[in-house]
Amino acid sequence: MGKYTKEDIIRMVQEEDIQFIRMQFTDIFGQLKNVAITASQIERAVNNEIMMDGSSIEGFVRIEESDQYLWPDLDTFAILPWRPQYGKVARLICDVHNPDGTSFQGDPRSVLKRELQRAEAMGYTFNVGPELEFFLFQTDENGRPTTQTSDEAGYFDLGPLDHGESTRREVTLALEQMGFEIEASHHELAAGQHELDFKYAEALHTADNIMTFKLAVKTLAQKNGLHATFMPKPVYGAAGNGMHVNMSLFRSGRNAFYDESSPNQLSPLATQFIAGLLAHAQGFCALTNPLVNSYKRLVPGYEAPCYPAWSTSNRSAFIRIPAPRGQGTRVELRSPDPTCNPYLVFAACLAAGLDGIEKGLTPPAPISRNIYEMTAEERSACGLESLPGTLEAAIRALESDSVVLDALGPHTALQYITGKLREWEEYRTQVSQWELDKYLVTY
């Protein structure tokens, strides 16, 4: 991705034989949406004249105020490499605006922009590097997804055990054509599970990249007759899908989390940021882990954190500090899963960290032991509380966290909470197959 002008975009559409442009945006619940236009409309598009019906998007606006406009970020222009090379398809990632030109308060991209502007006013740039996991499953004779895989591989295995290797390679090459710098690609712990890591960047750019990444994975898997899912826990008894989020603050081009003179080479700013994340761990859990199914991943024994603690090495901790120091110093938050809305998660994490800095918070002592093996009494002695155990509990914690609510803004907070409570109620009132198997005959 480069720095483009309107004239650059119009010229590239003509020179590259681009027939369609997808004007993409993300809804409050993290679903990628788009309005497709033909090449003849590109001039209107770059002049912010493409309109959509916001009342048709859950959590956006009411029917009597439905007109909204898509303002493309010109620097996100990219050709989709998995589409035809004759009559190509390109995309532009857009902000959602009201008819009077103001930013729509429920646009997740604008939510993150507001928090980044706050950090910038304090002198900081917020950089993020994600690690997304996903499963590749077989489909049935009707093309519907299953949870079956002929893959027998584990951590870092390769073909012939890793049957998803070719799809993973296609995804990597496609993303590199779009300007991604892929740092690692490998098989994960569970059968059929994979991970791709791309280089950290400024938070808004990274959130855009996550949405593009998920689209590429699902599209190319389908092309190969597979189904890709980022569902947190699709298989009972197997590891779930996480999205570890590596974060750092930079000031004047230097990593503000690094202090060569401290014992662990973390600056006071870094420990305050960590303290802020820990203080608001309950409050942003409904964002980092947004589904009913998310809480079936956050259980002991599968490397997913259950307790808000931090460590310089311990992978059972909520926050881990990876080994690199200097410009590579970073804080790794291990609780999020890849079904989250990255714009809202990054905004909430930044708000929590900045709150720790502004209040000069001090984190508890780091924990080096395997937290899963500690007794309840030992955890209590360390002051460890559990993360919310259900989506409902996480929503209630969000409702009580003014810092996270302020970061979301009134419209987004209300619509998100309302939508998630509706999802919880739908789940709560269902009768599952487990219940029928367990109770129908016995009782």
Side-chain angles (χ1 to χ4, degrees):
M1 298 180 191
K3 293 292 182 182
Y4 296 131
T5 65
K6 295 178 183 180
E7 293 73 24
D8 290 334
I9 302 296
I10 295 170
R11 175 180 49 79
M12 286 188 289
V13 168
Q14 294 170 344
E15 292 179 354
E16 294 285 346
D17 184 34
I18 293 169
Q19 296 294 313
F20 289 92
I21 301 93
R22 296 189 179 276
M23 308 286 284
Q24 297 178 343
F25 62 99
T26 301
D27 73 10
I28 286 175
F29 303 105
Q31 294 299 308
L32 188 64
K33 308 286 186 178
N34 84 161
V35 173
I37 62 171
T38 61
S40 65
Q41 302 301 305
I42 189 58
E43 191 165 342
R44 291 183 58 236
V46 297
N47 285 307
N48 308 326
E49 296 175 7
I50 301 299
M51 197 168 67
M52 71 155 188
D53 177 7
S55 67
S56 299
I57 308 298
E58 186 180 3
F60 268 34
V61 292
R62 297 170 296 181
I63 195 166
E64 64 269 25
E65 51 189 26
S66 60
D67 289 348
Q68 293 183 307
Y69 287 82
L70 299 176
W71 288 29
D73 182 337
L74 301 184
D75 293 336
T76 66
F77 179 83
I79 296 172
L80 302 180
W82 53 83
R83 301 296 295 170
Q85 292 309 294
Y86 298 99
K88 298 175 184 175
V89 179
R91 72 92 198 272
L92 283 162
I93 296 175
C94 304
D95 298 314
V96 181
H97 283 249
N98 300 312
D100 63 2
T102 57
S103 294
F104 171 49
Q105 294 302 297
D107 174 24
R109 208 166 185 266
S110 295
V111 170
L112 177 55
K113 280 185 170 182
R114 291 197 301 268
E115 205 59 35
L116 292 173
Q117 288 166 358
R118 179 180 163 221
E120 186 178 3
M122 297 170 66
Y124 302 119
T125 300
F126 184 45
N127 289 325
V128 180
E131 303 169 16
L132 284 86
E133 297 169 345
F134 57 94
F135 279 88
L136 292 175
F137 289 131
Q138 296 170 341
T139 55
D140 65 18
E141 62 275 9
N142 296 313
R144 292 189 297 255
T146 71
T147 55
Q148 304 301 312
T149 175
S150 58
D151 178 354
E152 299 173 359
Y155 263 132
F156 308 122
D157 280 339
L158 65 164
L161 290 176
D162 179 1
H163 292 187
E165 186 176 43
S166 59
T167 297
R168 200 171 66 232
R169 182 176 63 248
E170 281 188 57
V171 172
T172 300
L173 295 175
L175 292 174
E176 286 188 334
Q177 286 184 54
M178 298 182 72
F180 282 61
E181 184 175 337
I182 303 296
E183 293 190 328
S185 163
H186 62 86
H187 198 284
E188 259 293 331
L189 176 61
Q193 190 180 32
H194 305 266
E195 177 178 312
L196 268 77
D197 308 331
F198 45 91
K199 187 176 181 179
Y200 77 88
E202 186 273 333
L204 184 65
H205 184 47
T206 299
D208 289 341
N209 281 347
I210 288 172
M211 300 307 298
T212 300
F213 173 87
K214 291 164 75 172
L215 176 64
V217 169
K218 282 188 164 290
T219 301
L220 291 168
Q222 185 181 52
K223 173 175 168 286
N224 290 336
L226 298 171
H227 176 74
T229 181
F230 294 91
M231 183 178 174
K233 190 78 169 183
V235 180
Y236 170 72
N241 285 325
M243 187 186 82
H244 301 160
V245 177
N246 294 273
M247 297 173 276
S248 58
L249 290 178
F250 274 60
R251 183 167 46 200
S252 302
R254 299 188 63 81
N255 192 322
F257 283 179
Y258 176 60
D259 182 355
E260 186 179 12
S261 62
S262 73
N264 55 16
Q265 297 186 311
L266 293 177
S267 68
L269 191 88
T271 56
Q272 291 167 357
F273 193 94
I274 291 167
L277 290 174
L278 293 173
H280 298 284
Q282 311 277 346
F284 59 64
C285 195
L287 300 171
T288 56
N289 307 92
L291 307 184
V292 167
N293 181 256
S294 297
Y295 297 85
K296 299 183 179 182
R297 168 180 166 259
L298 299 181
V299 294
Y302 297 95
E303 292 193 5
C306 308
Y307 310 97
W310 74 288
S311 173
T312 54
S313 59
N314 186 353
R315 291 181 183 270
S316 67
F318 178 73
I319 293 171
R320 187 177 77 94
I321 311 301
R325 292 295 185 266
Q327 291 290 82
T329 307
R330 59 191 185 271
V331 170
E332 179 190 50
L333 182 67
R334 296 178 60 82
S335 63
D337 68 57
T339 61
C340 71
N341 184 325
Y343 301 101
L344 300 186
V345 166
F346 295 170
C349 288
L350 179 56
L354 293 180
D355 185 57
I357 292 169
E358 289 176 331
K359 293 178 179 174
L361 300 181
T362 301
I367 294 179
S368 58
R369 288 184 57 189
N370 185 336
I371 300 172
Y372 303 144
E373 295 178 353
M374 295 171 66
T375 66
E377 291 75 18
E378 290 171 327
R379 290 195 300 270
S380 179
C382 294
L384 290 180
E385 298 180 356
S386 298
L387 290 173
T390 66
L391 178 60
E392 183 190 31
I395 296 165
R396 300 309 178 195
L398 171 60
E399 290 177 317
S400 302
D401 194 312
S402 60
V403 169
V404 178
L405 292 176
D406 286 347
L408 295 179
H411 178 95
T412 301
L414 175 62
Q415 295 299 327
Y416 190 88
I417 289 169
T418 301
K420 287 300 169 181
L421 283 175
R422 188 183 307 120
E423 184 177 335
W424 170 255
E425 185 63 14
E426 182 181 345
Y427 169 75
R428 189 185 69 81
T429 56
Q430 292 289 324
V431 177
S432 69
Q433 187 61 47
W434 182 90
E435 292 169 278
L436 294 174
D437 293 342
K438 185 78 172 178
Y439 305 126
L440 189 61
V441 174
T442 306
Y443 296 94

